[in-house]
Amino acid sequence: MNLVQALLFILPAYIANATPVIFGGGMPVDFRRKFKDGERILGDGKTWRGLLAGLCFGSLTGLVEAQLYSSAMLQGVPGMNFLPLGFALSLGTMLGDLTGSFIKRRMRIKRGHPSLILDQLSFLLFALLFSVPFAPSGFFALDSLVFLVVLTYLLHVLTNIFANRLGLKKVPW
Ligand code: CTP
Ligand code: MG
């Protein structure tokens, strides 16, 4: 698996992670309820609309990749079944993101405040775990994983700065 293939593989997760910033809002996933520690369960940054947008656009990315693959544009990606993969990556991304926020609230980190590991990598970890049944054999080699972790970290930091400049996010993280 080369770097381009690793990027195509993870793309639905990136899209699922990015679209809630644009389409999110409205009722929070935790319905504004608090956990027994007195803090919010997840916080206002996790909304149903964001969750659905991430699932839809991430899965749609898988669908487009599946079309491109069958039209031979993505040839050389061995054994990749993009349609279920896109859905699994999107579901993992959204659940990983919720889990990250859940842990942040338990650590009493306020909504929107940074947590350098959880913000960038919780979604990736869950996405990768969910993708295991759909990944081509040999994908989870150490070099692919290291590449994705480093790339995700850098891209996440850069896109957040960019989204902040564009006025999509109040804070640059
Ligand atoms: N978002 C959403 N629904 C989701 C995930 C994200 O509506 N399930 C939107 C929210 O507007 C959120 C923004 O995308 O503020 C950025 O997402 P993120 O950085 O993950 O949320 P934070 O606001 O930083 O909240 P937290 O501290 O819980 O991570
Ligand atoms: Mg954040």
Side-chain angles (χ1 to χ4, degrees), residues 98-166:
L98 294 182
T99 305
S101 289
F102 180 78
I103 297 173
K104 280 173 78 175
R105 298 301 91 80
R106 305 293 70 78
M107 295 167 73
R108 298 192 186 276
I109 301 171
K110 294 287 177 210
R111 174 255 167 120
H113 285 232
S115 168
L116 291 181
I117 299 293
L118 291 170
D119 284 345
Q120 346 285 351
L121 297 178
S122 61
F123 85 89
L124 179 67
L125 178 72
F126 274 66
L128 288 176
L129 286 176
F130 275 59
S131 76
V132 169
F134 309 102
S137 66
F139 175 73
F140 290 101
L142 195 59
D143 54 350
S144 301
L145 291 179
V146 170
F147 169 71
L148 285 179
V149 168
V150 174
L151 180 81
T152 302
Y153 202 91
L154 293 177
L155 271 182
H156 199 273
V157 170
L158 286 176
T159 48
N160 278 307
I161 292 173
F162 194 61
N164 174 249
R165 293 268 165 89
L166 284 177

Side-chain angles (χ1 to χ4, degrees), residues 20-21 24-25 45-47 50-51 97 101 104-105 110-112 169:
V21 180
K46 306 293 117 137
T47 66
L51 193 68
D97 187 47
S101 289
K104 280 173 78 175
R105 298 301 91 80
K110 294 287 177 210
R111 174 255 167 120
K169 283 192 86 166

